[in-house]
Amino acid sequence: MCGIVGLFLKDKSLEPQLGAMLSEMLVLLTDRGPDSAGIAIYGASQKDHGKLTIQSQQPARDFAGLEADLGKKIGASVTMLVKSTHAVLDVPRDKLEAARDAIAELRPDARVMGMGDTIEIYKEVGLPEKVAERFEVSKMSGTHGIGHTRMATESAVTTMGAHPFSTGPDQCLVHNGSLSNHNNVRRELKREGMTFETENDTEVAAAYLSHKISNGQDLGQALESSLSDLDGFFTFVVGTKNGFGVVRDPIACKPAVLAETDQYVAFGSEYRALAKLPGIDGAKVWEPEPSTVYFWEH
């Protein structure tokens, strides 16, 4: 079944509250997916610096000395902030890819959740409230974010199987539904050089969009392409460094609602996820149309 939320802020004064608002929205959809949960937050960028969010099942072992080891490996200064099983590594922007490759060598059991100028991704097995508390998401600020609470139907309940999935710099996707042609699309994308860490169909959707964007399409165009190339039933909510997009398949059997005010655009699988947002009583509220792309950019 799964529950999806998204929040794109227009009003900068709300940015310090992004994590708190997004967490509350997701907790309100807990019964749609009790298996695992995750949130992506797009925060402030730093000049010439990027970051990687990594996860480890044994953080005491894998995070110990990682700053020094990684800095030596890539020949640059590295700082690290540890949050439970996740850590955010700050590295020079031109060293991001090298850092990702080095982590695979230095800490082979650690996994990169996301990387880019602004994105941080936190996801684990467990209820949304516990996951949000574990990573202190309510204290995070940012411009936009998306979240997901999962009810697994086609793959195992694991951290790597949780959403969001990130397959490109500052890109991530959450999904409610099921793709019927994901194996064929995965094979095609592998031939194009894309790599995969799970058998989850949502990772295929994320990689598909990343591939389209890397080949010159913007987010809106990539989402339009997905309507003809991806089969099944789906609602996608996607984040990029500057944007936030929504699309539903032609049948649109998965529930979805959008709301827009002068301060924000919000998405929820159900209206109750939006009910506590400021100014919601005066918002424009509607159900996204089938086969219709909606996206906003800063």
Side-chain angles (χ1 to χ4, degrees):
M1 186 162 62
C2 301
I4 301 174
V5 297
L7 190 57
F8 178 89
L9 299 180
K10 302 176 183 180
D11 183 349
K12 285 186 171 294
S13 71
L14 290 178
E15 291 181 5
Q17 302 174 49
L18 176 69
M21 290 192 292
L22 198 62
S23 298
E24 183 175 47
M25 291 169 69
L26 193 59
V27 169
L28 289 167
L29 296 181
T30 296
D31 60 351
R32 293 192 63 86
D35 298 330
S36 55
I39 287 180
I41 296 285
Y42 289 84
S45 61
Q46 298 185 46
K47 185 179 180 180
D48 300 327
H49 276 250
K51 50 190 172 183
L52 299 95
T53 310
I54 64 173
Q55 184 270 352
S56 172
Q57 296 294 342
Q58 299 187 60
R61 179 198 67 188
D62 286 337
F63 298 161
L66 181 56
E67 283 174 297
D69 293 347
L70 182 60
K72 182 178 180 180
K73 186 72 175 178
I74 66 173
S77 176
V78 175
T79 60
M80 179 171 65
L81 173 66
V82 175
K83 291 187 177 183
S84 185
T85 57
H86 288 48
V88 180
L89 294 158
D90 183 287
V91 303
R93 184 178 295 142
D94 61 358
K95 298 287 187 178
L96 272 174
E97 291 290 346
R100 182 176 190 137
D101 293 341
I103 288 167
E105 179 182 340
L106 295 168
R107 302 293 191 273
D109 293 330
R111 293 291 179 265
V112 175
M113 298 286 99
M115 73 174 194
D117 291 347
T118 65
I119 193 172
E120 295 181 24
I121 293 178
Y122 301 92
K123 59 182 187 178
E124 276 292 2
V125 172
L127 298 173
E129 182 176 15
K130 297 301 182 183
V131 172
E133 288 176 353
R134 186 174 192 172
F135 300 114
E136 299 182 318
V137 175
S138 65
K139 298 179 181 179
M140 297 183 68
S141 63
T143 56
H144 56 297
I146 63 178
H148 187 274
T149 184
R150 183 176 184 230
M151 181 177 288
T153 57
E154 296 187 2
S155 55
V157 179
T158 64
T159 300
M160 293 306 295
H163 304 205
F165 279 91
S166 180
T167 52
D170 285 310
Q171 298 167 22
C172 67
L173 176 145
V174 293
H175 170 211
N176 184 18
S178 179
L179 301 181
S180 57
N181 67 335
H182 62 95
N183 287 323
N184 290 337
V185 176
R186 183 185 289 109
R187 283 193 291 270
E188 292 172 6
L189 290 172
K190 282 183 176 180
R191 286 196 288 269
E192 295 293 331
M194 300 295 289
T195 60
F196 295 86
E197 297 193 55
T198 74
E199 294 300 313
N200 194 295
D201 60 341
T202 305
E203 186 180 13
V204 174
Y208 170 87
L209 294 176
S210 294
H211 179 66
K212 290 294 184 182
I213 291 171
S214 69
N215 281 279
Q217 292 191 356
D218 62 24
L219 173 58
Q221 292 169 329
L223 290 172
E224 287 281 2
S225 297
S226 74
L227 290 167
S228 56
D229 292 342
L230 301 180
D231 292 333
F233 49 95
F234 55 84
T235 296
F236 296 146
V237 177
V238 184
T240 66
K241 180 179 178 179
N242 299 313
F244 168 87
V246 174
V247 69
R248 302 171 82 194
D249 68 86
I251 299 174
C253 62
K254 293 299 181 181
V257 61
L258 277 163
E260 184 169 13
T261 73
D262 292 338
Q263 293 184 298
Y264 58 79
V265 179
F267 175 93
S269 293
E270 298 178 38
Y271 178 79
R272 57 183 163 134
L274 317 180
K276 295 186 178 182
L277 290 174
I280 192 65
D281 290 344
K284 174 189 175 185
V285 179
W286 75 101
E287 180 181 354
E289 294 289 336
S291 299
T292 302
V293 172
Y294 302 85
F295 71 102
W296 293 262
E297 289 187 313
H298 287 121

